[in-house]
Amino acid sequence: MTVTAQWVWMDGELVKFEDAKVPIMTYTLHYGYGTFEGIRAYQRTNGSSHVFRLKEHVKRLKESAHILGMNLIYSQEEIEQACIDVLQKNDFKTGYLRPLVYLGSEGMGLGALDNTVHLAIASWQWGAYLGDDGLKNGIRCKVSSYQRGHVNISMVKGKICGQYVNSVMAKREALNAGYNEAIMLDPQGYVAECTGENLFMVKEKTLITAPYGASILGGITRDTVIQLAKDLGFSVQERLFSRDEMYVADEVFLCGTAAEITPVKEIDDRKVGTGEPGFVTRSIAGLFFDIVKGSYAGYGDWRFDYQI
Ligand code: PMP
């Protein structure tokens, strides 16, 4: 896959993809001190396009910048509009948006406090993150030898660039060992989340996921799943659980903007449940995809419509 588009939004202007460049001394390139978002735009069966939960993603971007003490000068509304502008200028009826907040190249060294704060928004076409087959039939996961950072080491509620080194290490380890995704434990040994997805297990029709306060990103898809599950009449528990409790779950699935709702069919070479996507996973995924791609009328507040 080549990640490309015609236009990129940079500091208030739409610039040609080939001109969207940064100097080699860009501070964030060296130290990972920056933050980003991942947002999806979908087209529904009636032909209309929308960005899914745009407000929540922009809010989290601003919160991540706040955690890092970066002064992002753009308002919530300005960033939302910029995301729409990128999709429209590229003529993207669907797409993946990648806003990135980064520090400029004025000063090097960890103590450079006055570097300028920049915002760029790129976009590209991105299919099923864990593959079409994974989305349909489930993926194979491995509990990682890497763990999620302690909450006083990693700013876990921020989507901070440098923190993704840990995620990439875990992802590469899993891929190199022949699995699709890594499951990461927290510093106490409880199941936290994956490298770019939150994790749910299902026991006797109850959904169980790590609590918001744990060493996890507060996923927007996680929040979506919790609401959909409750609306479908399933109960949801946010609590700690160990890997062996997960081994004997009836169902396990991952959720995230890129991964959407991906069933897990195997963990550490053990079949999850029957080895096929279970009833609860299918119910949640069915409603989710009907909301984002289908014709389900409800949850309109989650769709930020735009014209192409
Ligand atoms: N955890 C991590 C570490 C992630 O990078 C992501 C992707 N943003 C998620 C969970 C899922 O979050 P969301 O549903 O907001 O995309």
Side-chain angles (χ1 to χ4, degrees):
M1 182 183 80
T2 309
V3 179
T4 184
Q6 294 267 303
W7 298 92
V8 177
W9 189 100
M10 278 184 108
D11 294 326
E13 277 174 59
L14 285 157
V15 297
K16 283 273 206 194
F17 186 82
E18 50 274 22
D19 298 328
K21 291 183 178 151
V22 293
I24 192 64
M25 287 308 177
T26 299
Y27 189 92
T28 304
L29 199 54
H30 296 248
Y31 305 122
Y33 204 87
T35 172
F36 67 98
E37 264 304 318
I39 313 173
R40 267 192 198 267
Y42 290 97
Q43 190 176 26
R44 305 189 84 214
T45 39
N46 66 4
S48 68
S49 291
H50 70 97
V51 182
F52 189 61
R53 304 203 70 176
L54 177 61
K55 285 182 190 304
E56 291 84 348
H57 282 283
V58 172
K59 181 164 175 276
R60 189 172 64 191
L61 183 73
K62 288 184 74 75
E63 286 174 357
S64 296
H66 183 74
I67 288 169
L68 291 175
M70 291 167 94
N71 183 22
L72 191 55
I73 57 166
Y74 303 102
S75 68
Q76 170 86 24
E77 292 72 27
E78 284 168 336
I79 300 172
E80 288 171 10
Q81 187 56 50
C83 288
I84 300 297
D85 289 349
V86 172
L87 292 166
Q88 288 179 328
K89 186 81 176 167
N90 282 299
D91 216 10
F92 281 173
K93 292 191 169 75
T94 65
Y96 182 84
L97 284 159
R98 170 55 57 81
L100 173 69
V101 181
Y102 60 99
L103 289 176
S105 52
E106 294 83 0
M108 268 292 150
L110 302 189
L113 297 181
D114 301 322
N115 286 13
T116 46
V117 179
H118 300 266
L119 172 62
I121 306 173
S123 184
W124 67 91
Q125 295 300 315
W126 213 3
Y129 178 65
L130 291 161
D132 290 323
D133 181 64
L135 208 56
K136 192 160 162 253
N137 299 315
I139 59 162
R140 299 177 61 240
C141 292
K142 176 158 179 44
V143 173
S144 185
S145 72
Y146 299 93
Q147 64 183 35
R148 285 284 295 172
H150 183 278
V151 291
N152 213 18
I153 293 175
S154 299
M155 299 294 104
V156 293
K157 290 296 164 279
K159 220 172 140 52
I160 314 293
C161 299
Q163 284 171 192
Y164 280 82
V165 172
N166 188 41
S167 274
V168 175
M169 298 286 275
K171 180 83 184 182
R172 288 180 172 218
E173 179 188 59
L175 292 177
N176 288 332
Y179 299 85
N180 306 107
E181 187 53 278
I183 295 173
M184 302 184 77
L185 307 180
D186 72 10
Q188 285 71 44
Y190 294 100
V191 175
E193 60 175 346
C194 294
T195 61
E197 308 89 6
N198 292 108
L199 182 146
F200 282 80
M201 64 172 186
V202 180
K203 285 190 174 239
E204 291 170 7
K205 307 271 187 296
T206 294
L207 288 89
I208 304 160
T209 194
Y212 182 82
S215 191
I216 60 166
L217 185 73
I220 292 160
T221 322
R222 172 186 180 278
D223 178 72
T224 301
V225 166
I226 291 172
Q227 292 204 42
L228 297 184
K230 288 181 179 164
D231 293 350
L232 286 167
F234 300 118
S235 45
V236 180
Q237 292 177 3
E238 294 187 52
R239 66 165 173 84
L240 297 175
F241 56 94
S242 57
R243 66 195 284 177
D244 57 341
E245 194 182 350
M246 176 177 66
Y247 287 161
V248 293
D250 302 327
E251 304 175 33
V252 174
F253 66 87
L254 313 182
C255 67
T257 299
E260 300 168 306
I261 314 269
T262 301
V264 176
K265 64 178 178 190
E266 207 183 289
I267 299 173
D268 291 349
D269 307 311
R270 294 159 178 85
K271 210 189 257 187
V272 176
T274 62
E276 312 257 305
F279 172 75
V280 176
T281 306
R282 283 188 282 113
S283 306
I284 305 261
L287 181 53
F288 175 80
F289 285 112
D290 207 7
I291 291 167
V292 296
K293 287 186 182 175
S295 56
Y296 196 88
Y299 304 99
D301 287 356
W302 287 347
R303 294 186 293 264
F304 195 113
D305 289 320
Y306 66 97
Q307 305 293 326
I308 284 287

